[in-house]
Amino acid sequence: MGNFLDTPITEKETEVGEDGKFSYGLSAMQGWRAQMEDDHIQMLSVSDALPNVSLFGVFDGHGGDMVAHYSARHFPKHLTDALDAGDLKPDLAGFDGKAKAAFESSLMALDNELQHLQDVASGQDQSGSTSVQCLISPTSIVCANTGDSRAVLARGGDAVPLSHDHKPYNPEEKARIEAAGSHVKFNRVNGDLAVSRALGDFVYKRCETVAADRQAVTAFPEVRLATAA
């Protein structure tokens, strides 16, 4: 059955945690896949310098498990480095704009790092992963989305979307794909990949005439903001 098992693995990895700001719960199940291709981040405080800023995220892998697991392990360091470079102080002045810029630069830096890993450079690993993450301060929620995993805010009984699926047939996504020398067929990039943004998937990032954020498949996130209250 290729990358699928004869019977699903239904045991779940479950965790709960809390501090003075949040209570969270998470659960993950491998299911029918031959490997657990998904991973997550849960950080009640992103750093000692920013104790009131939390990070939660999901990486939904495809074509293998390497990119999702590597991203979950290494992305927080990229993000905190970017936040430090943006001079985000504990008083969180200008949080929304600096968080947006940090997500954009750190996801692209992570993708560049992935591209130069030996297994990727040799072509041995061709996996990819979506990414949806929320950086939460006492006043704001900044959601960075790359791909088609979803973030939804529950507020007053209403569901508030924090992300928008990046599908190849979306007009703006299709225009970028075609400008990078690829095409959309069967609603997929080159008739194969069902998302138009992802970490990894470097077979779709080979156009030499466009920048990394304009490749047919790009790691560059779409960022949305919401108030925390």
Side-chain angles (χ1 to χ4, degrees), residues 4 12 19 22 27 74 80 92 94 100 109 112 125 127 134 155 178 196 218:
F4 293 89
K12 297 177 179 64
D19 61 7
F22 292 110
S27 192
H74 295 276
T80 54
L92 301 180
K100 179 179 184 294
N112 182 63
D125 189 280
S127 63
C134 290
R155 170 172 286 163
E178 293 176 343
S196 53
T218 179

Side-chain angles (χ1 to χ4, degrees), residues 59-87:
F59 299 90
D60 183 355
H62 49 261
D65 62 357
M66 191 280 288
V67 168
H69 295 327
Y70 188 96
S71 297
R73 290 196 306 271
H74 295 276
F75 179 75
K77 178 64 162 56
H78 282 283
L79 182 65
T80 54
D81 286 349
L83 290 171
D84 289 344
D87 197 29

Side-chain angles (χ1 to χ4, degrees), residues 156-173:
D158 294 326
V160 181
L162 293 179
S163 65
H164 172 73
D165 291 357
H166 295 133
K167 292 295 190 181
Y169 49 80
N170 295 345
E172 291 185 5
E173 301 295 297

Side-chain angles (χ1 to χ4, degrees), residues 113-151:
E113 182 174 299
L114 283 161
Q115 188 173 12
H116 291 90
L117 295 179
Q118 182 176 352
D119 285 353
V120 175
S122 68
Q124 182 177 344
D125 189 280
Q126 298 184 18
S127 63
S129 177
T130 67
S131 167
V132 63
Q133 303 182 70
C134 290
L135 197 60
I136 306 172
S137 79
T139 59
S140 299
I141 300 170
V142 181
C143 181
N145 176 48
T146 299
D148 63 356
S149 295
R150 295 177 179 176

Side-chain angles (χ1 to χ4, degrees), residues 177-192:
I177 291 165
E178 293 176 343
S182 292
H183 62 276
V184 178
K185 184 178 181 181
F186 307 128
N187 289 331
R188 295 170 176 257
V189 181
N190 294 346
D192 185 26

